[in-house]
Amino acid sequence: MSVMPTAVAAESVSVEIGGIGLALHVQDSSFRRMVENRYSGFVASSQAPQCEFDIELYDAGEPVPADDQLEVKLEAGEWLLRRGDFRARWNPRTMRGHIRQSCNPYAIDSVLRIVHSLILAQRGGFLVHAASVIRGGKAFIFSGVSGAGKTTISRLAPADAAFLSDEVSYVRRDGNQYFACGTPFAGELARAGENQCAPLSDLFFLEKGPRNSIEPIAPTDAIQRLMRNILFFANDPELVKLVFQFACEFASVVPMHRLVFVPDERVWDIIC
Amino acid sequence: MAEKYIARSTEIAARMLGGEMMIMSAQDSTFFTLNEVATVIWQAADGCTPLSEIVRGKICQEFEVDAEQAQRGAERFVDELSQHGILLVSERPLIDSSDPEIS
């Protein structure tokens, strides 16, 4: 008797972020439950994921290499991802991959971030260190280094705003339009974003200051700041060139500004 | 002093925006924004035109600056960018140089 598709599906969990579904095939049911809980708002019912991974869990007793530095490189057409707690490979042509990891949520979280950043880089989008929200049908991104105020601006958002992330924002390109999408990648708020997307209206570079104001920024300065905050996992020159090109194209479409703000909710009066 | 020939590395990403040339090293992600004079040198870095000729024929002509001063400034600029692998420098023509995508 042939193996029924439902038997395969029962050993899989699909996580969909930014409209891109990643099916994770793993035998260990407790690991699947962990993934379902951690990414609860993003677990997809889609039967047609765009990307698939077989996950092999290694014994917790197995020694983990002391060097836990992340390495991401392209080798013979496959991306190789390696850190102390995981080794993964992913073929961007077949969209299939394999992950060997310890049974911890951080490893799969890192793999998801890296794979999404690589998929987005093929499509003109990127992951960026930024908070993002949707209000009035439009998305707003607030970028900055640690301490710039990403979590603060998220916390101050009006009640009618949908929270997308306070740490890693997801920018997807569709034709000549950009969208910001929610991610489950939590920052200080320890709160997953809502699984929503909206057309991107503006990107702000956050600066705490004595007053609330939106200041212009030179295009070259904006691109330089944006490049600093885009998540690069791979030390790959071709990828750097590609992301730079996409950042320039993004800058020609999406207005970018400096947002100087005092940490109270009135800042939202000048945003939207 | 030995002549210098300069060529743009292929390990960079570059783009002209708002009248300014942005260059990013694909090796170490260093980012440079070039002013008008630097942009002229960058665009003339074809690997076979001596730097002194670029200075005399383009910089001094277009910006009306003293040749000696312009040459010193150009040398400093070339040294800085070459340290990041953005410009390739040689005492002989770099005939294998190729253009990065500049738009």
Side-chain angles (χ1 to χ4, degrees), chain A residues 216-253:
Chain A
I217 184 168
T220 50
D221 191 14
I223 290 170
Q224 188 169 1
R225 289 187 190 209
L226 181 62
M227 288 297 294
R228 264 191 232 129
N229 287 301
I230 288 177
L231 271 68
F232 272 108
F233 297 103
N235 187 18
D236 181 84
E238 290 308 314
L239 190 67
V240 174
K241 287 185 197 179
L242 197 62
V243 175
F244 177 76
Q245 178 193 327
F246 290 152
C248 292
E249 290 170 6
F250 177 88
S252 68
V253 174

Side-chain angles (χ1 to χ4, degrees), chain B residues 49-62:
Chain B
T49 309
L51 180 61
S52 60
E53 195 177 314
I54 295 172
V55 170
R56 277 198 316 273
K58 291 184 180 292
I59 306 299
C60 294
Q61 298 284 325
E62 291 184 32

Side-chain angles (χ1 to χ4, degrees), chain A residues 24 31 34-35 38-39 55-58 64 70 81-88 99-115 185:
Chain A
L24 307 173
F31 185 83
M34 181 277 289
V35 169
R38 187 173 180 87
Y39 305 109
I55 300 180
E56 177 191 349
L57 300 175
Y58 61 74
V64 173
L70 175 66
L81 292 53
R82 188 172 64 182
R83 200 175 65 186
D85 55 348
F86 67 79
R87 279 170 188 265
I99 304 166
R100 186 167 191 274
Q101 67 159 90
S102 60
C103 193
N104 79 67
Y106 310 111
I108 188 65
D109 207 75
S110 295
V111 172
L112 288 180
R113 289 179 195 220
I114 296 165
V115 170
F185 308 129

Side-chain angles (χ1 to χ4, degrees), chain A residues 25-135:
Chain A
H25 307 300
V26 56
Q27 288 190 337
D28 187 297
S29 58
S30 62
F31 185 83
R32 282 201 305 276
R33 277 197 301 279
M34 181 277 289
V35 169
E36 284 164 356
N37 291 334
R38 187 173 180 87
Y39 305 109
S40 59
F42 295 83
V43 171
S45 55
S46 166
Q47 296 301 304
Q50 295 176 47
C51 195
E52 295 188 63
F53 279 93
D54 294 315
I55 300 180
E56 177 191 349
L57 300 175
Y58 61 74
D59 193 332
E62 196 173 314
V64 173
D67 178 13
D68 67 348
Q69 190 156 352
L70 175 66
E71 185 182 14
V72 180
K73 62 181 178 182
L74 188 62
E75 210 169 87
E78 281 196 334
W79 284 102
L80 305 180
L81 292 53
R82 188 172 64 182
R83 200 175 65 186
D85 55 348
F86 67 79
R87 279 170 188 265
R89 62 172 198 275
W90 176 64
N91 186 318
R93 193 176 51 80
T94 62
M95 300 293 271
R96 289 195 65 98
H98 179 271
I99 304 166
R100 186 167 191 274
Q101 67 159 90
S102 60
C103 193
N104 79 67
Y106 310 111
I108 188 65
D109 207 75
S110 295
V111 172
L112 288 180
R113 289 179 195 220
I114 296 165
V115 170
H116 272 280
S117 76
L118 296 172
I119 292 173
L120 284 170
Q122 295 175 328
R123 305 176 181 192
F126 46 81
L127 295 180
V128 58
H129 273 300
S132 45
V133 301
I134 297 173
R135 193 174 189 220

